[in-house]
Amino acid sequence: MNFADTAPLGFSPRRVGVLAEHAFREAVRQRVFQFTTLLAAVLVLGSLGLRELDFGGAEAKFVADFGHGALVLFGSVLTIVMTVQLLGGELENRTVLPVLARPVRRSEFICGKFLGAWAVVLVFCAVVTALLLLALWLCGVATVAAPGEAPVVRGGAAAPYAAVLLGGALQAVKFALLTAMVLLVGSYAQTSLFAQASSFLVLVICHLQYLARDAWQSGGSWAARLGGGLIGFVFPNFQLFGGELLGGDAADLALAGRVAAYGALYTAVFLGLAVWSFRRREI
Amino acid sequence: MRRSLTALLMVLVLAGIALRPLEHTAWREQVRRQPGLEWRRLDGAAGQGLTLGLLGGFRALAADLLWLRANAAWERCDLAGTHAALALVSAVDPRPVAFWLNGARMIGYDMPYWRIAALGGETALPAGVVRHVHEEQARAAIAHLERAFAQHPDDPLVHIEIANLQLQQLGDVVGAAEHYRNAALQPTAPYYAARLHAELLRRLGREHAAYDWLVALHPTLPPERDNPYAMADTVLARIRELEERLALAPADRYQPGRR
């Protein structure tokens, strides 16, 4: 049992803030942040040159899809690698010991790491979303929806910017959840490599969670139902966060709000479990 | 360790159950807007690169690359390859209508000639067999397009493509007229869908229905000088033709701006 857990030390948001600021500065200096942000930026702006590869819809839609793909892919890589480095690096190098020897609770340590890591991901999301908006503006087409191939009787163009902003915001919520999940894995894992591999596996499972739910609901063998049900209830559904489809009307905002609430509640659960697991860990 | 893992799983299952209503309503709404990737239909056909691309979120790019594959197979007149690639495209990204329309054109208009060539050529085959192949492919193309309605309910362009196939490949004037009508009723329909519906009604001998349809249509059209695609003057000319054929009394004739 750690000293900080036995001492009458209350949970201090101020200490969490200090730890988060430290984690943020450490993470921003990491090459993975610079590398993924640069790659995502190149891909988003490069999508303007790849528009000729698009055969299915409007150019703006292709640019929006491509940019959203860059946000999802590199955001996931950044979240996993950076969070594992922030926690696993401290554990492997034993630099966590002098921190926890001070009057700092383990829960504050985990919450600080979470906030610091998420702040970096927020910066990443903001940069990529801003670049995507710039790319769409440069694209000069004010529609995400595929246009009719002939002049239409009625109907106007959809605004793409609201969809891109909502998509970016929902991805930021998803990355908060992923950060909490990686912290939970990292609090168990003995090596950073294991934590990273497990986290990527968890990411894939979460993206395919809806298939497990389908298997559970659609019947079949009892083994398939049991397995599907277990995966469906243990892992959150990451496909929910595909906000690039949304516009800016009230129904879309309500849906985005429900998805954000789902992500926030799951984040709280995983963060709580990460704290619980880290408190039980022998360091 | 084992006990803590069990406790952790229990908490996660309880959280999953508690958050299920929130997830269910949001997921249902999300699927209504865009179906999830149909991984079952990919059925191992997607390579590792494609799978990674899809998981990474590059759905549009993956579909574009598969569309290139479909076109490469189409250029080789590879029936099975084109079919497989078209199925993959629609499974990966069913959102662009153009994939559905152009895929249906390949199935309905090009594939019959490949099949006929493989059977020995049009001159070597009885006319009935040639017609049967054309009709079979047209029905396959229509079935392909009907799957598009799951993603694009009542899309006018899909209705028009079905109508074209029914008219040109199956000679089904009644069915084509109905689909042109369905297309014309949609807010984003091209103007010609309504004119074609009227023309087919006329061809079916339902001239009264054609007249009523055109009379209802004409006031909704912009003047020809503002939008030549609407062809308001042509519609008015057809109304006048029908009035002559139906021998309507001058008082019963359509007066633009009066009704």
Side-chain angles (χ1 to χ4, degrees):
Chain A
M1 187 63 76
N2 184 270
F3 158 77
D5 287 309
T6 52
L9 190 67
F11 185 90
S12 162
R14 198 179 64 81
R15 280 197 296 273
V16 171
V18 171
L19 285 164
E21 187 186 337
H22 181 263
F24 177 78
R25 285 186 182 170
E26 191 186 335
V28 165
R29 282 199 294 267
Q30 285 179 6
R31 285 207 180 135
V32 65
F33 171 66
Q34 297 151 12
F35 184 66
T36 49
T37 308
L38 186 69
L39 266 180
V42 168
L43 267 185
V44 169
L45 295 177
S47 65
L48 289 170
L50 289 172
R51 281 176 294 175
E52 284 180 15
L53 248 183
D54 179 41
F55 312 107
E59 285 183 352
K61 180 183 170 298
F62 178 77
V63 171
D65 275 359
F66 201 84
H68 191 76
L71 178 68
V72 171
L73 181 65
F74 292 108
S76 303
V77 171
L78 172 67
T79 305
I80 291 173
V81 175
M82 183 191 58
T83 310
V84 167
Q85 280 184 6
L86 279 178
L87 183 63
E90 294 246 30
L91 291 169
E92 282 180 358
N93 300 329
R94 299 285 173 190
T95 48
V96 67
L97 293 173
V99 177
L100 293 178
R102 293 166 183 239
V104 171
R105 293 174 69 93
R106 289 195 183 194
S107 55
E108 291 167 356
F109 181 79
I110 289 291
C111 289
K113 290 288 178 198
F114 168 77
L115 288 177
W118 191 43
V120 176
V121 178
L122 281 180
V123 171
F124 170 84
C125 287
V127 168
V128 176
T129 304
L131 284 174
L132 185 50
L133 291 172
L134 175 70
L136 281 170
W137 180 73
L138 289 174
C139 189
V141 184
T143 178
V144 160
E149 292 180 346
V152 296
V153 179
R154 288 186 295 277
Y161 303 114
V164 169
L165 280 172
L166 262 184
L170 286 182
Q171 286 305 314
V173 175
K174 187 185 93 176
F175 293 142
L177 173 53
L178 185 59
T179 306
M181 294 173 89
V182 176
L183 284 173
L184 173 60
V185 173
S187 68
Y188 263 109
Q190 294 300 316
T191 65
S192 293
L193 185 65
F194 175 79
Q196 279 186 8
S198 305
S199 299
F200 275 111
L201 187 65
V202 165
L203 175 71
V204 172
I205 292 172
C206 289
H207 271 290
L208 301 178
Q209 183 259 22
Y210 69 100
L211 293 178
R213 276 281 168 90
D214 286 351
W216 177 63
Q217 285 170 338
S218 62
S221 69
W222 67 268
R225 280 177 63 89
L226 184 69
L230 197 63
I231 291 172
F233 280 112
V234 166
F235 294 94
N237 181 356
F238 274 10
Q239 291 286 335
L240 273 178
F241 297 88
E244 79 276 15
L245 312 160
L246 304 177
D249 62 19
D252 287 340
L253 289 174
L255 174 60
R258 276 201 295 277
V259 174
Y262 172 80
L265 289 169
Y266 246 126
T267 303
V269 171
F270 273 99
L271 195 58
L273 286 172
V275 167
W276 173 75
S277 166
F278 192 63
R279 282 166 63 107
R280 296 167 61 90
R281 182 180 175 129
E282 292 284 340
I283 297 175
Chain B
M1 176 72 176
R2 193 177 294 171
R3 196 178 294 171
S4 63
L5 201 63
T6 311
L8 191 140
L9 280 176
M10 289 285 286
V11 172
L12 286 177
V13 168
L14 287 175
I17 292 169
L19 292 174
R20 171 75 176 145
L22 197 58
E23 180 195 350
H24 183 66
T25 48
W27 182 240
R28 206 173 44 194
E29 181 65 17
Q30 192 101 319
V31 169
R32 192 181 64 75
R33 288 159 192 257
Q34 176 197 1
L37 270 175
E38 296 188 40
W39 288 95
R40 284 191 204 88
R41 279 179 60 198
L42 298 181
D43 202 22
Q48 284 178 343
L50 178 62
T51 308
L52 275 177
L54 294 176
L55 285 173
F58 292 98
R59 199 168 173 180
L61 183 65
D64 286 337
L65 295 176
L66 286 169
W67 182 249
L68 276 181
R69 194 197 282 183
N71 276 269
W74 173 77
E75 278 184 352
R76 292 193 307 271
C77 300
D78 175 0
L79 194 83
T82 310
H83 258 306
L86 289 176
L88 274 175
V89 170
S90 59
V92 168
D93 194 358
R95 295 170 294 172
V97 181
F99 286 154
W100 292 102
L101 301 182
N102 291 318
R105 286 168 195 159
M106 289 178 187
I107 297 169
Y109 297 114
D110 301 329
M111 287 185 183
Y113 291 100
W114 305 349
R115 284 180 60 187
I116 288 164
L119 290 169
E122 202 162 334
T123 49
L125 289 171
V129 174
V130 172
R131 195 172 59 246
H132 175 74
V133 170
H134 276 283
E135 289 177 359
E136 207 169 68
Q137 286 302 133
R139 288 198 185 91
I142 290 169
H144 178 77
L145 286 166
E146 281 170 347
R147 281 201 297 276
F149 283 130
Q151 174 68 22
H152 306 281
D154 276 330
D155 188 295
L157 297 178
V158 179
H159 275 299
I160 288 170
E161 203 59 43
I162 292 176
N164 290 343
L165 282 159
Q166 286 177 323
L167 190 63
Q168 293 165 23
Q169 299 291 86
L170 297 174
D172 178 4
V173 182
V174 176
E178 185 59 23
H179 274 289
Y180 283 130
R181 179 181 170 278
N182 288 341
L185 292 176
Q186 307 309 316
T188 56
Y191 292 110
Y192 63 80
R195 293 197 302 273
L196 282 170
H197 174 63
E199 184 55 33
L200 292 191
L201 287 178
R202 208 158 73 152
R203 205 186 287 184
L204 286 167
R206 296 168 56 190
E207 290 178 331
H208 271 294
Y211 177 74
D212 290 344
W213 174 263
L214 290 175
V215 164
L217 172 70
H218 188 260
T220 68
L221 299 176
E224 196 142 336
R225 64 178 176 281
D226 292 347
N227 191 337
Y229 293 102
M231 297 178 76
D233 296 348
T234 306
V235 171
L236 187 59
R238 286 185 188 166
I239 289 172
R240 296 288 176 244
E241 264 177 56
L242 283 166
E243 283 168 343
E244 290 300 322
R245 288 180 62 85
L246 294 169
L248 293 181
D252 295 336
R253 294 191 174 198
Y254 171 65
Q255 294 298 320
R258 250 185 40 192
R259 287 192 205 183

